[in-house]
Amino acid sequence: VLLAEYRELRMIMPLVLVGALVLAILLGMTQLRRYLGPLQGLTAAVRDFSMRRFDAEVRITTNDELQQLGDNFNGMARSLRQQFGTLQTMAEIDRLLLASPGLEQILDALLARVAKVVGSDRLAVLLHDTDTPRSSATEMPVSCTLPVLLTS
């Protein structure tokens, strides 16, 4: 009886080992795909960043460290977008001031760019002429408010 069970076990054991090996390979491939997809997304976003395209965002929904990495990457992307937008705005203002166009041209460009940087659809500038003397306490200084409505 033992000899028959031993022979049967010798016939079944290679099949069990092959089945376990196939199962291990399938599970390994599944795990590999689970990590490669998010990593490919991060790689593509980093490639976009290297070309100064800071609008790339990564969507990772793995509920683990990879998702935390993706969320941190997106936060960095937002911060860089805002910083580069601010730098571009400052450079444009510098160019306008150096070219010395009229005040209205400078204000139009300034308000449009600053609105994008601060994320607002309305801005105003108050101009105050400090060269105009005030003759009495009831006289108001010269001022002008220029509201700008932006549409996207």
CSV table of all heavy atoms in Angstrom, one decimal, residues 5-64:
chain,number,residue,atom,x,y,z
A,5,GLU,N,1.2,4.3,-2.9
A,5,GLU,CA,1.0,5.7,-2.6
A,5,GLU,C,2.3,6.5,-3.0
A,5,GLU,O,2.2,7.6,-3.5
A,5,GLU,CB,0.7,5.9,-1.1
A,5,GLU,CG,-0.7,5.5,-0.7
A,5,GLU,CD,-0.9,5.7,0.8
A,5,GLU,OE1,-0.1,6.3,1.5
A,5,GLU,OE2,-1.9,5.1,1.3
A,6,TYR,N,3.4,5.9,-2.8
A,6,TYR,CA,4.7,6.6,-3.2
A,6,TYR,C,4.8,6.8,-4.7
A,6,TYR,O,5.2,7.8,-5.1
A,6,TYR,CB,5.9,5.7,-2.7
A,6,TYR,CG,7.2,6.2,-3.1
A,6,TYR,CD1,7.7,7.4,-2.6
A,6,TYR,CD2,7.9,5.6,-4.1
A,6,TYR,CE1,9.0,7.9,-3.0
A,6,TYR,CE2,9.2,6.1,-4.5
A,6,TYR,CZ,9.7,7.2,-3.9
A,6,TYR,OH,10.9,7.7,-4.3
A,7,ARG,N,4.4,5.8,-5.5
A,7,ARG,CA,4.4,5.9,-6.9
A,7,ARG,C,3.4,7.0,-7.4
A,7,ARG,O,3.7,7.8,-8.3
A,7,ARG,CB,4.0,4.6,-7.6
A,7,ARG,CG,5.1,3.6,-7.5
A,7,ARG,CD,4.8,2.3,-8.3
A,7,ARG,NE,5.8,1.3,-8.1
A,7,ARG,CZ,5.6,0.0,-8.1
A,7,ARG,NH1,4.4,-0.4,-8.4
A,7,ARG,NH2,6.5,-0.8,-7.9
A,8,GLU,N,2.2,7.0,-6.7
A,8,GLU,CA,1.2,8.0,-7.1
A,8,GLU,C,1.7,9.4,-6.8
A,8,GLU,O,1.6,10.3,-7.5
A,8,GLU,CB,-0.1,7.7,-6.3
A,8,GLU,CG,-1.2,8.6,-6.7
A,8,GLU,CD,-2.5,8.2,-6.0
A,8,GLU,OE1,-2.8,7.0,-5.8
A,8,GLU,OE2,-3.2,9.1,-5.6
A,9,LEU,N,2.4,9.5,-5.6
A,9,LEU,CA,3.0,10.8,-5.2
A,9,LEU,C,4.0,11.3,-6.2
A,9,LEU,O,4.1,12.4,-6.5
A,9,LEU,CB,3.5,10.7,-3.8
A,9,LEU,CG,4.0,12.0,-3.2
A,9,LEU,CD1,2.9,13.0,-3.1
A,9,LEU,CD2,4.6,11.7,-1.8
A,10,ARG,N,4.9,10.3,-6.7
A,10,ARG,CA,5.9,10.7,-7.6
A,10,ARG,C,5.3,11.1,-9.0
A,10,ARG,O,5.9,11.9,-9.7
A,10,ARG,CB,6.8,9.4,-7.9
A,10,ARG,CG,7.8,9.3,-6.8
A,10,ARG,CD,8.8,8.2,-7.1
A,10,ARG,NE,9.7,8.7,-8.2
A,10,ARG,CZ,10.5,7.9,-8.9
A,10,ARG,NH1,10.5,6.6,-8.6
A,10,ARG,NH2,11.3,8.3,-9.8
A,11,MET,N,4.2,10.7,-9.3
A,11,MET,CA,3.5,11.1,-10.6
A,11,MET,C,2.9,12.5,-10.4
A,11,MET,O,2.9,13.3,-11.3
A,11,MET,CB,2.5,10.0,-11.0
A,11,MET,CG,3.1,8.8,-11.5
A,11,MET,SD,1.9,7.5,-11.9
A,11,MET,CE,0.9,8.3,-13.1
A,12,ILE,N,2.3,12.7,-9.2
A,12,ILE,CA,1.6,13.9,-9.0
A,12,ILE,C,2.5,15.1,-8.7
A,12,ILE,O,2.3,16.2,-9.1
A,12,ILE,CB,0.5,13.8,-7.9
A,12,ILE,CG1,-0.6,12.8,-8.3
A,12,ILE,CG2,-0.1,15.1,-7.4
A,12,ILE,CD1,-1.5,12.4,-7.2
A,13,MET,N,3.6,14.8,-8.0
A,13,MET,CA,4.5,15.9,-7.5
A,13,MET,C,5.0,16.8,-8.6
A,13,MET,O,5.0,18.0,-8.5
A,13,MET,CB,5.6,15.3,-6.7
A,13,MET,CG,6.5,16.3,-6.0
A,13,MET,SD,5.5,17.4,-4.9
A,13,MET,CE,5.5,16.5,-3.4
A,14,PRO,N,5.5,16.2,-9.7
A,14,PRO,CA,6.0,17.1,-10.8
A,14,PRO,C,4.9,18.0,-11.3
A,14,PRO,O,5.1,19.2,-11.7
A,14,PRO,CB,6.5,16.2,-11.9
A,14,PRO,CG,6.8,14.9,-11.2
A,14,PRO,CD,5.8,14.9,-10.0
A,15,LEU,N,3.7,17.5,-11.4
A,15,LEU,CA,2.5,18.4,-11.9
A,15,LEU,C,2.3,19.5,-10.9
A,15,LEU,O,2.0,20.6,-11.3
A,15,LEU,CB,1.3,17.5,-12.1
A,15,LEU,CG,1.4,16.5,-13.2
A,15,LEU,CD1,0.1,15.6,-13.2
A,15,LEU,CD2,1.5,17.2,-14.6
A,16,VAL,N,2.3,19.2,-9.6
A,16,VAL,CA,2.1,20.2,-8.6
A,16,VAL,C,3.2,21.2,-8.6
A,16,VAL,O,2.9,22.4,-8.6
A,16,VAL,CB,2.0,19.5,-7.2
A,16,VAL,CG1,2.1,20.6,-6.1
A,16,VAL,CG2,0.8,18.7,-7.1
A,17,LEU,N,4.5,20.8,-8.8
A,17,LEU,CA,5.6,21.7,-8.9
A,17,LEU,C,5.4,22.6,-10.1
A,17,LEU,O,5.7,23.9,-10.1
A,17,LEU,CB,6.9,21.0,-8.9
A,17,LEU,CG,7.3,20.4,-7.6
A,17,LEU,CD1,8.6,19.6,-7.8
A,17,LEU,CD2,7.5,21.4,-6.5
A,18,VAL,N,5.1,22.1,-11.3
A,18,VAL,CA,4.9,22.9,-12.5
A,18,VAL,C,3.8,23.9,-12.3
A,18,VAL,O,3.9,25.1,-12.7
A,18,VAL,CB,4.7,22.0,-13.7
A,18,VAL,CG1,4.2,22.8,-14.9
A,18,VAL,CG2,5.9,21.2,-14.0
A,19,GLY,N,2.7,23.4,-11.7
A,19,GLY,CA,1.5,24.3,-11.4
A,19,GLY,C,1.9,25.5,-10.5
A,19,GLY,O,1.6,26.6,-10.7
A,20,ALA,N,2.7,25.1,-9.4
A,20,ALA,CA,3.1,26.2,-8.5
A,20,ALA,C,4.1,27.2,-9.2
A,20,ALA,O,4.0,28.4,-9.0
A,20,ALA,CB,3.8,25.5,-7.3
A,21,LEU,N,4.9,26.7,-10.1
A,21,LEU,CA,5.9,27.5,-10.8
A,21,LEU,C,5.1,28.4,-11.7
A,21,LEU,O,5.4,29.6,-11.8
A,21,LEU,CB,6.9,26.7,-11.6
A,21,LEU,CG,7.9,27.4,-12.3
A,21,LEU,CD1,8.8,28.2,-11.4
A,21,LEU,CD2,8.8,26.4,-13.1
A,22,VAL,N,4.1,27.9,-12.5
A,22,VAL,CA,3.3,28.7,-13.3
A,22,VAL,C,2.6,29.8,-12.5
A,22,VAL,O,2.5,31.0,-12.9
A,22,VAL,CB,2.3,27.9,-14.2
A,22,VAL,CG1,1.3,28.7,-14.9
A,22,VAL,CG2,3.1,27.0,-15.2
A,23,LEU,N,2.0,29.4,-11.4
A,23,LEU,CA,1.3,30.4,-10.5
A,23,LEU,C,2.2,31.5,-10.0
A,23,LEU,O,1.9,32.6,-10.0
A,23,LEU,CB,0.6,29.6,-9.4
A,23,LEU,CG,-0.2,30.5,-8.4
A,23,LEU,CD1,-1.4,31.1,-9.1
A,23,LEU,CD2,-0.7,29.6,-7.2
A,24,ALA,N,3.4,31.1,-9.6
A,24,ALA,CA,4.4,32.1,-9.1
A,24,ALA,C,4.8,33.1,-10.2
A,24,ALA,O,4.9,34.3,-10.0
A,24,ALA,CB,5.6,31.4,-8.6
A,25,ILE,N,5.0,32.6,-11.5
A,25,ILE,CA,5.3,33.4,-12.6
A,25,ILE,C,4.2,34.4,-12.9
A,25,ILE,O,4.4,35.6,-13.1
A,25,ILE,CB,5.7,32.6,-13.8
A,25,ILE,CG1,7.0,31.9,-13.6
A,25,ILE,CG2,5.7,33.4,-15.1
A,25,ILE,CD1,7.4,30.9,-14.6
A,26,LEU,N,2.9,33.9,-12.9
A,26,LEU,CA,1.8,34.8,-13.1
A,26,LEU,C,1.6,35.8,-12.1
A,26,LEU,O,1.4,37.0,-12.4
A,26,LEU,CB,0.5,33.9,-13.3
A,26,LEU,CG,0.4,33.1,-14.5
A,26,LEU,CD1,-0.9,32.2,-14.4
A,26,LEU,CD2,0.3,33.9,-15.7
A,27,LEU,N,1.8,35.5,-10.8
A,27,LEU,CA,1.7,36.4,-9.7
A,27,LEU,C,2.8,37.5,-9.8
A,27,LEU,O,2.6,38.7,-9.6
A,27,LEU,CB,1.7,35.7,-8.4
A,27,LEU,CG,0.5,35.0,-8.0
A,27,LEU,CD1,0.7,34.2,-6.7
A,27,LEU,CD2,-0.7,36.0,-7.8
A,28,GLY,N,4.0,37.0,-10.2
A,28,GLY,CA,5.2,37.9,-10.3
A,28,GLY,C,4.9,38.9,-11.5
A,28,GLY,O,5.2,40.1,-11.4
A,29,MET,N,4.4,38.5,-12.6
A,29,MET,CA,4.1,39.3,-13.7
A,29,MET,C,3.0,40.4,-13.3
A,29,MET,O,3.1,41.5,-13.7
A,29,MET,CB,3.7,38.5,-14.9
A,29,MET,CG,4.8,37.8,-15.6
A,29,MET,SD,4.4,36.6,-16.9
A,29,MET,CE,3.6,37.8,-18.0
A,30,THR,N,2.0,39.9,-12.6
A,30,THR,CA,1.0,40.8,-12.2
A,30,THR,C,1.5,41.9,-11.3
A,30,THR,O,1.2,43.1,-11.5
A,30,THR,CB,-0.1,40.1,-11.4
A,30,THR,OG1,-0.7,39.0,-12.2
A,30,THR,CG2,-1.3,41.0,-10.9
A,31,GLN,N,2.4,41.6,-10.3
A,31,GLN,CA,3.0,42.6,-9.5
A,31,GLN,C,3.9,43.5,-10.3
A,31,GLN,O,3.9,44.7,-10.0
A,31,GLN,CB,3.8,41.9,-8.3
A,31,GLN,CG,3.0,41.3,-7.3
A,31,GLN,CD,2.2,42.3,-6.5
A,31,GLN,OE1,1.0,42.5,-6.8
A,31,GLN,NE2,2.8,43.0,-5.6
A,32,LEU,N,4.6,43.0,-11.2
A,32,LEU,CA,5.5,43.8,-12.0
A,32,LEU,C,4.7,44.8,-12.8
A,32,LEU,O,5.1,46.0,-12.9
A,32,LEU,CB,6.3,42.9,-13.0
A,32,LEU,CG,7.4,43.5,-13.8
A,32,LEU,CD1,8.5,44.1,-12.9
A,32,LEU,CD2,8.0,42.5,-14.7
A,33,ARG,N,3.6,44.4,-13.4
A,33,ARG,CA,2.7,45.3,-14.1
A,33,ARG,C,2.2,46.4,-13.2
A,33,ARG,O,2.0,47.5,-13.6
A,33,ARG,CB,1.6,44.6,-14.8
A,33,ARG,CG,2.0,43.9,-16.1
A,33,ARG,CD,0.9,43.3,-16.8
A,33,ARG,NE,1.3,42.5,-17.9
A,33,ARG,CZ,0.8,41.3,-18.2
A,33,ARG,NH1,-0.2,40.8,-17.6
A,33,ARG,NH2,1.3,40.6,-19.3
A,34,ARG,N,1.8,46.0,-12.0
A,34,ARG,CA,1.3,46.9,-11.0
A,34,ARG,C,2.2,48.0,-10.7
A,34,ARG,O,1.8,49.2,-10.5
A,34,ARG,CB,0.9,46.2,-9.8
A,34,ARG,CG,0.3,47.0,-8.7
A,34,ARG,CD,-0.1,46.2,-7.5
A,34,ARG,NE,-0.6,47.0,-6.5
A,34,ARG,CZ,-0.1,47.2,-5.3
A,34,ARG,NH1,1.0,46.6,-5.0
A,34,ARG,NH2,-0.6,48.0,-4.4
A,35,TYR,N,3.5,47.8,-10.7
A,35,TYR,CA,4.5,48.8,-10.4
A,35,TYR,C,5.0,49.5,-11.7
A,35,TYR,O,5.4,50.6,-11.6
A,35,TYR,CB,5.7,48.2,-9.7
A,35,TYR,CG,5.4,47.9,-8.2
A,35,TYR,CD1,5.1,46.6,-7.8
A,35,TYR,CD2,5.2,48.9,-7.3
A,35,TYR,CE1,4.8,46.3,-6.5
A,35,TYR,CE2,4.8,48.7,-6.0
A,35,TYR,CZ,4.6,47.4,-5.6
A,35,TYR,OH,4.3,47.1,-4.3
A,36,LEU,N,5.1,48.8,-12.8
A,36,LEU,CA,5.6,49.4,-14.0
A,36,LEU,C,4.7,50.5,-14.6
A,36,LEU,O,5.2,51.5,-15.1
A,36,LEU,CB,5.9,48.3,-15.1
A,36,LEU,CG,7.2,47.5,-14.9
A,36,LEU,CD1,7.3,46.5,-16.0
A,36,LEU,CD2,8.4,48.4,-14.8
A,37,GLY,N,3.4,50.3,-14.5
A,37,GLY,CA,2.5,51.3,-15.0
A,37,GLY,C,2.7,52.7,-14.4
A,37,GLY,O,2.9,53.7,-15.1
A,38,PRO,N,2.6,52.8,-13.1
A,38,PRO,CA,2.9,54.1,-12.4
A,38,PRO,C,4.3,54.6,-12.7
A,38,PRO,O,4.4,55.8,-12.8
A,38,PRO,CB,2.7,53.7,-10.9
A,38,PRO,CG,1.8,52.6,-10.9
A,38,PRO,CD,2.1,51.8,-12.1
A,39,LEU,N,5.3,53.7,-12.7
A,39,LEU,CA,6.6,54.2,-12.9
A,39,LEU,C,6.8,54.8,-14.4
A,39,LEU,O,7.5,55.7,-14.6
A,39,LEU,CB,7.6,53.1,-12.7
A,39,LEU,CG,7.9,52.7,-11.3
A,39,LEU,CD1,8.8,51.5,-11.1
A,39,LEU,CD2,8.4,53.9,-10.5
A,40,GLN,N,6.1,54.2,-15.3
A,40,GLN,CA,6.1,54.7,-16.7
A,40,GLN,C,5.4,56.1,-16.7
A,40,GLN,O,5.9,57.0,-17.4
A,40,GLN,CB,5.4,53.7,-17.6
A,40,GLN,CG,6.3,52.5,-17.9
A,40,GLN,CD,5.5,51.4,-18.7
A,40,GLN,OE1,4.3,51.4,-18.8
A,40,GLN,NE2,6.3,50.5,-19.3
A,41,GLY,N,4.4,56.2,-16.0
A,41,GLY,CA,3.7,57.5,-15.9
A,41,GLY,C,4.6,58.6,-15.3
A,41,GLY,O,4.7,59.7,-15.8
A,42,LEU,N,5.3,58.2,-14.2
A,42,LEU,CA,6.2,59.2,-13.6
A,42,LEU,C,7.4,59.5,-14.5
A,42,LEU,O,7.8,60.7,-14.6
A,42,LEU,CB,6.8,58.6,-12.3
A,42,LEU,CG,5.9,58.7,-11.1
A,42,LEU,CD1,6.4,57.9,-9.9
A,42,LEU,CD2,5.8,60.2,-10.7
A,43,THR,N,7.9,58.5,-15.3
A,43,THR,CA,9.0,58.7,-16.2
A,43,THR,C,8.5,59.7,-17.3
A,43,THR,O,9.3,60.6,-17.7
A,43,THR,CB,9.4,57.4,-16.8
A,43,THR,OG1,9.8,56.5,-15.7
A,43,THR,CG2,10.6,57.6,-17.8
A,44,ALA,N,7.3,59.5,-17.8
A,44,ALA,CA,6.8,60.4,-18.9
A,44,ALA,C,6.7,61.9,-18.3
A,44,ALA,O,7.0,62.8,-19.0
A,44,ALA,CB,5.5,59.9,-19.4
A,45,ALA,N,6.2,62.0,-17.1
A,45,ALA,CA,6.0,63.3,-16.5
A,45,ALA,C,7.4,64.0,-16.3
A,45,ALA,O,7.6,65.2,-16.6
A,45,ALA,CB,5.3,63.2,-15.2
A,46,VAL,N,8.4,63.2,-15.9
A,46,VAL,CA,9.7,63.8,-15.7
A,46,VAL,C,10.3,64.2,-17.0
A,46,VAL,O,11.0,65.3,-17.1
A,46,VAL,CB,10.6,62.8,-15.0
A,46,VAL,CG1,12.1,63.2,-15.0
A,46,VAL,CG2,10.2,62.6,-13.5
A,47,ARG,N,10.1,63.4,-18.0
A,47,ARG,CA,10.5,63.8,-19.4
A,47,ARG,C,9.9,65.1,-19.8
A,47,ARG,O,10.5,66.0,-20.4
A,47,ARG,CB,10.2,62.7,-20.4
A,47,ARG,CG,10.8,62.8,-21.7
A,47,ARG,CD,10.6,61.7,-22.7
A,47,ARG,NE,10.7,60.4,-22.0
A,47,ARG,CZ,9.7,59.5,-21.8
A,47,ARG,NH1,8.4,59.8,-22.2
A,47,ARG,NH2,9.9,58.3,-21.3
A,48,ASP,N,8.6,65.3,-19.5
A,48,ASP,CA,7.9,66.5,-19.9
A,48,ASP,C,8.5,67.7,-19.1
A,48,ASP,O,8.7,68.8,-19.6
A,48,ASP,CB,6.4,66.5,-19.5
A,48,ASP,CG,5.6,65.6,-20.5
A,48,ASP,OD1,6.2,65.3,-21.6
A,48,ASP,OD2,4.5,65.2,-20.2
A,49,PHE,N,8.8,67.5,-17.8
A,49,PHE,CA,9.5,68.5,-17.0
A,49,PHE,C,10.8,68.9,-17.6
A,49,PHE,O,11.2,70.1,-17.6
A,49,PHE,CB,9.7,68.0,-15.6
A,49,PHE,CG,8.5,68.4,-14.7
A,49,PHE,CD1,7.2,68.2,-15.1
A,49,PHE,CD2,8.8,68.9,-13.4
A,49,PHE,CE1,6.2,68.5,-14.2
A,49,PHE,CE2,7.7,69.2,-12.6
A,49,PHE,CZ,6.5,69.0,-13.0
A,50,SER,N,11.6,68.0,-18.1
A,50,SER,CA,12.9,68.3,-18.6
A,50,SER,C,12.7,69.2,-19.9
A,50,SER,O,13.7,69.9,-20.3
A,50,SER,CB,13.7,67.0,-19.0
A,50,SER,OG,13.1,66.4,-20.1
A,51,MET,N,11.6,69.2,-20.5
A,51,MET,CA,11.3,70.0,-21.7
A,51,MET,C,10.5,71.3,-21.3
A,51,MET,O,9.9,71.9,-22.1
A,51,MET,CB,10.5,69.2,-22.7
A,51,MET,CG,11.4,68.1,-23.3
A,51,MET,SD,10.4,67.3,-24.6
A,51,MET,CE,10.8,65.6,-24.2
A,52,ARG,N,10.5,71.6,-20.0
A,52,ARG,CA,9.8,72.8,-19.4
A,52,ARG,C,8.3,72.7,-19.6
A,52,ARG,O,7.7,73.8,-19.8
A,52,ARG,CB,10.4,74.0,-19.9
A,52,ARG,CG,11.8,74.3,-19.4
A,52,ARG,CD,12.3,75.6,-19.7
A,52,ARG,NE,13.5,75.8,-19.0
A,52,ARG,CZ,14.0,77.0,-18.7
A,52,ARG,NH1,13.3,78.1,-18.9
A,52,ARG,NH2,15.1,77.1,-18.1
A,53,ARG,N,7.7,71.6,-19.7
A,53,ARG,CA,6.2,71.5,-19.8
A,53,ARG,C,5.8,71.1,-18.4
A,53,ARG,O,5.7,69.9,-18.0
A,53,ARG,CB,5.8,70.4,-20.8
A,53,ARG,CG,6.1,70.9,-22.2
A,53,ARG,CD,5.5,70.0,-23.2
A,53,ARG,NE,5.8,68.6,-23.1
A,53,ARG,CZ,6.5,67.9,-24.0
A,53,ARG,NH1,7.0,68.5,-25.1
A,53,ARG,NH2,6.8,66.7,-23.8
A,54,PHE,N,5.4,72.1,-17.6
A,54,PHE,CA,5.1,71.8,-16.2
A,54,PHE,C,3.7,71.6,-15.9
A,54,PHE,O,3.2,71.5,-14.8
A,54,PHE,CB,5.6,73.0,-15.3
A,54,PHE,CG,7.0,73.3,-15.4
A,54,PHE,CD1,7.5,74.4,-16.1
A,54,PHE,CD2,7.9,72.4,-14.8
A,54,PHE,CE1,8.9,74.6,-16.2
A,54,PHE,CE2,9.3,72.6,-14.9
A,54,PHE,CZ,9.8,73.7,-15.6
A,55,ASP,N,2.9,71.3,-16.9
A,55,ASP,CA,1.5,71.0,-16.8
A,55,ASP,C,1.2,69.5,-16.6
A,55,ASP,O,0.0,69.1,-16.4
A,55,ASP,CB,0.6,71.6,-17.9
A,55,ASP,CG,1.1,71.1,-19.3
A,55,ASP,OD1,2.2,70.6,-19.4
A,55,ASP,OD2,0.3,71.3,-20.2
A,56,ALA,N,2.2,68.7,-16.7
A,56,ALA,CA,2.0,67.3,-16.6
A,56,ALA,C,1.7,66.9,-15.1
A,56,ALA,O,2.3,67.4,-14.2
A,56,ALA,CB,3.3,66.6,-17.0
A,57,GLU,N,0.7,66.1,-15.0
A,57,GLU,CA,0.4,65.5,-13.7
A,57,GLU,C,0.2,64.0,-13.8
A,57,GLU,O,0.0,63.5,-14.9
A,57,GLU,CB,-1.0,66.1,-13.2
A,57,GLU,CG,-0.8,67.6,-12.9
A,57,GLU,CD,-1.6,68.0,-11.6
A,57,GLU,OE1,-2.4,67.1,-11.1
A,57,GLU,OE2,-1.5,69.2,-11.3
A,58,VAL,N,0.5,63.3,-12.7
A,58,VAL,CA,0.5,61.9,-12.7
A,58,VAL,C,-0.7,61.4,-11.9
A,58,VAL,O,-1.0,61.9,-10.8
A,58,VAL,CB,1.8,61.4,-12.0
A,58,VAL,CG1,1.9,59.9,-12.0
A,58,VAL,CG2,3.0,61.9,-12.8
A,59,ARG,N,-1.4,60.4,-12.4
A,59,ARG,CA,-2.5,59.8,-11.6
A,59,ARG,C,-2.1,58.4,-11.3
A,59,ARG,O,-2.1,57.5,-12.1
A,59,ARG,CB,-3.8,59.8,-12.5
A,59,ARG,CG,-4.3,61.2,-12.9
A,59,ARG,CD,-5.7,61.1,-13.4
A,59,ARG,NE,-6.1,62.3,-14.1
A,59,ARG,CZ,-6.3,63.5,-13.5
A,59,ARG,NH1,-6.1,63.6,-12.3
A,59,ARG,NH2,-6.7,64.5,-14.3
A,60,ILE,N,-1.9,58.2,-10.0
A,60,ILE,CA,-1.6,56.9,-9.5
A,60,ILE,C,-2.5,56.5,-8.3
A,60,ILE,O,-2.7,57.3,-7.4
A,60,ILE,CB,-0.1,56.8,-8.9
A,60,ILE,CG1,0.9,57.2,-10.0
A,60,ILE,CG2,0.2,55.5,-8.3
A,60,ILE,CD1,2.3,57.3,-9.6
A,61,THR,N,-3.2,55.4,-8.5
A,61,THR,CA,-4.2,55.0,-7.5
A,61,THR,C,-3.9,53.6,-6.9
A,61,THR,O,-4.7,52.7,-7.0
A,61,THR,CB,-5.6,55.0,-8.1
A,61,THR,OG1,-5.6,54.2,-9.3
A,61,THR,CG2,-6.0,56.4,-8.5
A,62,THR,N,-2.7,53.5,-6.4
A,62,THR,CA,-2.3,52.2,-5.9
A,62,THR,C,-2.4,52.1,-4.3
A,62,THR,O,-2.2,51.0,-3.8
A,62,THR,CB,-0.8,51.9,-6.2
A,62,THR,OG1,0.0,53.0,-5.8
A,62,THR,CG2,-0.7,51.7,-7.7
A,63,ASN,N,-2.8,53.2,-3.7
A,63,ASN,CA,-2.9,53.3,-2.2
A,63,ASN,C,-1.7,52.8,-1.5
A,63,ASN,O,-1.7,52.0,-0.5
A,63,ASN,CB,-4.1,52.5,-1.8
A,63,ASN,CG,-5.4,53.1,-2.2
A,63,ASN,OD1,-5.5,54.4,-2.3
A,63,ASN,ND2,-6.4,52.3,-2.6
A,64,ASP,N,-0.5,53.2,-2.0
A,64,ASP,CA,0.8,52.8,-1.4
A,64,ASP,C,1.8,53.9,-1.6
A,64,ASP,O,1.4,55.0,-1.8
A,64,ASP,CB,1.3,51.4,-1.9
A,64,ASP,CG,1.5,51.4,-3.4
A,64,ASP,OD1,1.4,52.5,-4.0
A,64,ASP,OD2,1.9,50.4,-3.9
